[in-house]
Amino acid sequence: MRIFNGSYELSPGIRFYTPDRLYEYELSENEVTIHALTKQGEEKIHGMILTYSITSPLPGVLRLRLRHHRNRDTIKLVETEETEALHITDNKESLVISSGELSVQFDKVEWNYSFSTDRFLSNSGRNGAGIVYDSGKKHYITEMLSLTAGDVVYGLGERFSPFVRNGQHVEIWNRDPGSKSDLAYKNIPFYMTDRGYGIFINTPSLVDVEVCTEDAVAVRFTVPLYELDYFVLYGPSPKEIIRKYTALTGRPPLIPKWSLGLWLSTSFLTDYNEEVISRQIDGMFGRDIPLTVFHFDCYWMKERHWSNFMWNRDLFQDPAGMLQRLKEKGLKICVWINPYISELSELFNEGADKGFFLKNAEGAVYQIDWWQPGIALVDFTNPDACEWFKNKLRPLLADGVHTFKTDFGENAPEDAVYYSGADGHEMHNYYTYLYNRTVFELMEEYFGKGNALVFARSATGGSQRFPVHWSGDSSATFSSMYGQLRGGLSFSVSGGAFWSHDIGGFYGKPRADVYKRWIAFGLLSSHSRLHGNDSFRVPWNFDEESSLVLKKFTELRYRLIPYLYAACYEASCTGVPVLRPMFMEFPDDPGCRYLDMQYMLGRSLLVAPVFDEAGVAGFYLPPGSWTNYWTGEVVDGGRWFHETHDFFSLPLYVREDTLLPEGPVEQAPLQDSLQDITITLYCIKTSSEIILYEGKEIRIQAEKQEKGIQVTATEKIPGLVFRLAGKETSWQCTENTLFIKQEE
């Protein structure tokens, strides 16, 4: 929402009242309240008051609540306890409020406030914050924070447009748009800059964000409310910003290790029954391709009856027996659901009679003819409706289902009436949070913490608490594959720890080369699923080489399960995602600021997918020694590389000072991740550490010494083997320590 149309005039229809001066203020140990006057008037009786409340929930985090008029409650994504004591400096010229290293200074002479640490971060001036009315007299609160020269902005949810947000107008408003535009399923009102701070706008309402558009060196964010509540989070590192953001909005939980295995789906519009899916599964196992999860998409239920959570008995006469037979093959089971109940569903009358659906203004069930006939939407603000929804899913878990693909949730209508009395506009983005929370709670109730997950498409701020998420409907092209990576990187900067995408793309049948390149990208992502629209994504549907490619990369993934699970555990402790943009691992390297065609998988593995028909990949290695995973060749970074790869490889490099744990392939996601593992030491120049997890932490450390490398473990690991990258010698570690001599 542009408040100004260029430098000299307001946008058409806009009235903007910006503070003129700091009028009054009140100080306490934990809160500062400032009343800013928009204009004085000749008689000193006119003007509007914009009230600021400044508090701190964490050291290095300041919360600013800008309010016009009182007693207008709004939904918050997070409610925090403002327990941090503020350090306040009050003098004639300014009022400085500090938490940890972060300060905000309000000028008492000329209206302005700026954020700083030991250096300037950002400021809001005379035309920054204010009260806005549009031509329809709708009320808004706005803020504009400056950027310094060269600052780069990231985040704002899973977005498939260019990774760097500078120059983009972003609406934080969930939609069901596919993945080819600037619209998004996962709109998250949080961004960070490479200057060392992040901004979290604490509302599920529409947030309109102008990133270097209205003002080429500023970010403006505007809400259609009477209060604008935002946090400034100082890092300075991107990882520390994410740690603080997830400390506020919730850490992602540890997900079950089996979810790291390969998922195979029925796809959407395919015809299938037990015989058909058994052929697909047996085809995978017959080609020695590891498989851990099988997913039933929409048509496990009868068409136009979605959702009734009942197996279509025309296709599945013995669903419990079928699930048991799949379980005997070593498979976990996922089934598709959504929160919309068709008028033909066996659940419709029950839900309507009990008041479990959203209502219209007349008090009747809110129904629309979209997706399914006359759908109603479950009202997740009603605790009884949440329990009812859970109870309809419990029998599926009892029959052998392990998780649910929680599709949709983006289209909650603004004019619906909620049980809680919540405003429909504010509930639009928040609906997906409540929907996925309800299902995730059921999974934790049934399987226990650390064994629960969903497979969700939509999200808002804090949704990382209910993983996993996937990217939605992509196209079967190289360009769409690239867009998926941009979306995943953007989601990871926005707090998303676990993320997946449809290998091969969703719409259309990919060419064999696209499918094979996507396999490599997909198996080196946080989670890996073969899924499409109207065809099974099994490899023999493309060419026979595809089966060999899938086998190779799935086996690679399964060997890496100890490493991947360690990254998942790190995410659950810190919020730092599994799939990371380059700047997150190398924030001091300006060469990494704009990179969106490569990424870090965990701390140590650099992956550069091939998006090119000729098999050429260009990628950048930051300074240091990097080891080619495939060949063992060590190269110096700090420069660009171009490589040509066949379908059985892609640029995969290991960072220096890395301990890389790998295990056996066979059923790796279902086994003890510390069983029979080999840890390879890559270019240990100083020291390295990895925290392995299997019900408890085991820390492995390596330290370079004058005559070799000292390796220590906090506990003995049976069968643990160490090796040096590029060397054939290996060492069995039977104790807690091992010294590897330099000459060896």
Side-chain angles (χ1 to χ4, degrees):
M1 181 178 184
R2 289 174 181 256
I3 307 304
F4 282 88
N5 188 19
S7 300
Y8 308 113
E9 61 182 12
L10 291 169
S11 295
I14 292 295
R15 289 180 293 147
F16 182 38
Y17 303 93
T18 186
D20 179 68
R21 63 190 175 96
L22 191 158
Y23 183 62
E24 295 177 347
Y25 58 93
E26 304 154 17
L27 308 179
S28 70
E29 182 181 5
N30 300 106
E31 182 175 12
V32 173
T33 302
I34 294 173
H35 302 291
L37 187 65
T38 60
K39 67 175 182 178
Q40 186 174 3
E42 293 182 3
E43 299 176 3
K44 300 185 179 181
I45 58 174
H46 299 294
M48 299 179 182
I49 290 292
L50 187 63
T51 299
Y52 286 70
S53 167
I54 300 99
T55 55
S56 175
L58 296 168
V61 177
L62 289 172
R63 181 183 189 182
L64 282 75
R65 281 170 282 185
L66 286 59
R67 188 182 67 249
H68 179 223
H69 296 169
R70 299 176 65 87
N71 302 319
R72 294 178 182 267
D73 293 334
T74 60
I75 300 172
K76 305 293 186 184
L77 289 171
V78 296
E79 292 288 356
T80 64
E81 295 184 12
E82 319 296 348
T83 57
E84 288 299 313
L86 298 170
H87 183 270
I88 301 169
T89 303
D90 186 6
N91 56 48
K92 183 177 180 180
E93 292 79 22
S94 65
L95 178 63
V96 182
I97 306 149
S98 303
S99 172
E101 298 177 77
L102 179 64
S103 298
V104 59
Q105 176 174 312
F106 285 82
D107 194 322
K108 292 183 179 179
V109 179
E110 181 175 346
W111 178 254
N112 176 76
Y113 49 95
S114 58
F115 300 93
S116 63
T117 54
D118 55 353
R119 65 171 183 166
F120 173 82
L121 298 178
S122 180
N123 86 294
S124 177
R126 292 183 70 92
N127 288 322
I131 301 157
V132 181
Y133 291 92
D134 65 15
S135 58
K137 299 184 179 180
K138 190 171 183 178
H139 184 282
Y140 305 83
I141 301 288
T142 190
E143 173 68 289
M144 186 165 70
L145 298 178
S146 69
L147 300 172
T148 63
D151 285 358
V152 176
V153 177
Y154 309 96
L156 297 174
E158 178 195 63
R159 317 202 79 84
F160 306 102
S161 52
F163 174 53
V164 170
R165 296 276 88 85
N166 297 48
Q168 298 181 39
H169 170 221
V170 175
E171 290 184 338
I172 303 298
W173 190 251
N174 284 353
R175 293 177 172 89
D176 178 4
S179 59
K180 62 186 295 184
S181 72
D182 62 346
L183 307 178
Y185 304 104
K186 305 174 188 67
N187 289 272
I188 298 172
F190 170 66
Y191 70 85
M192 71 168 68
T193 75
D194 65 343
R195 195 163 180 80
Y197 67 92
I199 301 293
F200 168 51
I201 301 103
N202 187 21
T203 178
S205 171
L206 168 69
V207 183
D208 191 290
V209 189
E210 300 279 359
V211 187
C212 305
T213 48
E214 176 185 331
D215 187 310
V217 286
V219 179
R220 180 180 292 285
F221 43 95
T222 306
V223 297
L225 305 169
Y226 281 79
E227 182 183 55
L228 172 57
D229 180 354
Y230 72 92
F231 296 79
V232 182
L233 304 89
Y234 177 63
S237 72
K239 288 183 180 180
E240 186 59 30
I241 296 170
I242 287 291
R243 288 187 185 99
K244 288 178 178 176
Y245 171 73
T246 55
L248 288 173
T249 60
R251 296 271 196 247
L254 184 63
I255 43 89
K257 187 171 63 201
W258 59 256
S259 71
L260 298 175
L262 177 61
W263 298 45
L264 174 63
S265 167
T266 62
S267 293
F268 174 31
L269 294 175
T270 55
D271 295 323
Y272 61 88
N273 54 25
E274 183 176 0
E275 179 184 356
V276 172
I277 65 170
S278 293
R279 283 202 304 269
Q280 312 303 324
I281 294 167
D282 292 344
M284 297 284 282
F285 289 145
R287 291 167 173 81
D288 294 324
I289 301 171
L291 182 65
T292 302
V293 185
F294 188 81
H295 168 68
F296 291 84
D297 219 51
C298 311
Y299 284 91
W300 69 275
M301 293 181 280
K302 182 176 174 59
E303 72 278 1
R304 299 188 177 86
H305 286 243
W306 306 337
S307 293
N308 62 7
F309 310 131
M310 300 168 60
W311 290 90
N312 184 346
R313 292 304 179 115
D314 292 336
L315 300 175
F316 304 100
Q317 291 76 36
D318 179 22
M322 174 186 65
L323 296 181
Q324 179 60 32
R325 288 185 284 275
L326 294 176
K327 181 180 179 181
E328 290 169 358
K329 294 182 178 184
L331 295 174
K332 302 290 185 178
I333 303 301
C334 174
V335 298
W336 175 94
I337 63 171
N338 73 21
Y340 312 144
I341 309 298
S342 164
E343 189 173 353
L344 297 180
S345 167
E346 290 79 353
L347 305 183
F348 185 90
N349 289 338
E350 180 185 353
D353 292 344
K354 292 183 176 181
F356 292 162
F357 299 146
L358 301 186
K359 292 181 170 58
N360 60 27
E362 290 74 40
V365 173
Y366 195 112
Q367 286 184 262
I368 52 176
D369 290 307
W370 174 81
W371 179 242
Q372 297 283 282
I375 63 165
L377 293 85
V378 177
D379 185 349
F380 292 104
T381 69
N382 183 340
D384 291 337
C386 294
E387 285 305 309
W388 175 77
F389 195 76
K390 290 179 183 179
N391 288 335
K392 298 304 178 184
L393 297 175
R394 279 193 175 92
L396 293 164
L397 300 179
D399 282 346
V401 170
H402 297 92
T403 189
F404 298 104
K405 173 183 171 181
T406 48
D407 206 354
F408 289 90
E410 305 94 350
N411 291 299
E414 290 184 74
D415 56 347
V417 176
Y418 284 80
Y419 170 86
S420 66
D423 179 77
H425 170 87
E426 293 181 63
M427 282 300 304
H428 174 82
N429 287 342
Y430 199 50
Y431 186 88
T432 180
Y433 182 93
L434 299 181
Y435 161 42
N436 281 289
R437 184 181 72 180
T438 298
V439 181
F440 193 86
E441 285 176 350
L442 169 63
M443 308 307 290
E444 285 197 328
E445 291 165 10
Y446 198 90
F447 294 110
K449 292 184 182 296
N451 293 306
L453 82 157
V454 295
F455 205 81
R457 186 174 72 176
S458 54
T460 187
S463 289
Q464 71 274 359
R465 294 173 59 193
F466 319 119
V468 172
H469 293 85
W470 104 99
S471 64
D473 301 343
S474 55
S475 299
T477 63
F478 277 123
S479 58
S480 186
M481 176 181 161
Y482 168 42
Q484 299 306 289
L485 176 54
R486 293 200 297 202
L489 295 175
S490 183
F491 185 54
S492 73
V493 178
S494 308
F498 309 114
W499 176 83
S500 185
H501 46 98
D502 295 341
I503 294 174
F506 181 73
Y507 286 117
K509 183 177 180 181
R511 298 194 321 250
D513 61 336
V514 173
Y515 178 75
K516 286 180 280 193
R517 295 299 185 192
W518 211 316
I519 284 171
F521 170 36
L523 271 297
L524 289 168
S525 296
S526 157
H527 285 72
S528 307
R529 185 180 70 149
L530 298 163
H531 178 73
N533 181 33
D534 54 8
S535 67
F536 285 97
R537 291 299 197 244
V538 288
W540 54 92
N541 281 350
F542 301 92
D543 60 21
E544 200 52 45
E545 186 182 53
S546 294
S547 296
L548 300 176
V549 172
L550 182 59
K551 180 178 186 295
K552 175 166 183 175
F553 280 100
T554 306
E555 289 179 344
L556 168 64
R557 179 177 185 82
Y558 280 42
R559 285 198 303 274
L560 290 171
I561 289 292
Y563 172 76
L564 294 172
Y565 197 49
C568 293
Y569 179 67
E570 179 187 1
S572 72
C573 296
T574 67
V576 176
V578 176
L579 185 145
R580 307 169 186 178
M582 295 297 298
F583 86 90
M584 187 174 285
E585 280 294 334
F586 303 95
D588 297 325
D589 186 347
C592 292
R593 296 164 74 194
Y594 289 85
L595 297 180
D596 64 359
M597 299 183 77
Q598 61 185 76
Y599 57 94
M600 297 298 293
L601 185 63
R603 176 196 173 276
S604 298
L605 293 179
L606 184 148
V607 184
V610 177
F611 302 107
D612 180 82
E613 293 180 4
V616 176
F619 58 97
Y620 171 77
L621 295 180
S625 296
W626 294 83
T627 304
N628 186 314
Y629 178 86
W630 309 108
T631 67
E633 179 188 5
V634 178
V635 298
D636 291 328
R639 56 198 176 106
W640 281 85
F641 294 79
H642 289 82
E643 296 178 354
T644 301
H645 286 259
D646 63 20
F647 293 116
F648 294 92
S649 67
L650 81 172
L652 179 60
Y653 281 81
V654 187
R655 187 179 184 175
E656 68 182 28
D657 286 326
T658 284
L659 298 172
L660 185 65
E662 296 179 90
V665 169
E666 186 176 1
Q667 290 287 34
L670 304 178
Q671 303 297 329
D672 185 330
S673 61
L674 303 183
Q675 180 180 334
D676 298 325
I677 64 170
T678 296
I679 296 180
T680 304
L681 286 68
Y682 285 87
C683 297
I684 304 298
K685 295 183 176 180
T686 54
S687 63
S688 182
E689 178 183 75
I690 188 167
I691 301 175
L692 302 177
Y693 186 79
E694 189 68 47
K696 60 183 177 181
E697 287 187 4
I698 298 182
R699 292 175 180 263
I700 312 291
Q701 296 175 317
E703 182 179 358
K704 182 68 179 292
Q705 298 183 355
E706 183 179 354
K707 296 183 179 181
I709 300 171
Q710 181 69 50
V711 180
T712 60
T714 54
E715 290 192 30
K716 297 178 184 179
I717 302 177
L720 175 61
V721 172
F722 286 94
R723 59 181 292 270
L724 294 176
K727 306 290 185 181
E728 298 201 6
T729 308
S730 62
W731 296 266
Q732 188 91 23
C733 186
T734 58
E735 301 296 331
N736 290 58
T737 63
L738 174 71
F739 188 78
I740 301 175
K741 293 182 180 179
Q742 190 70 48
E743 60 268 23
E744 295 180 342

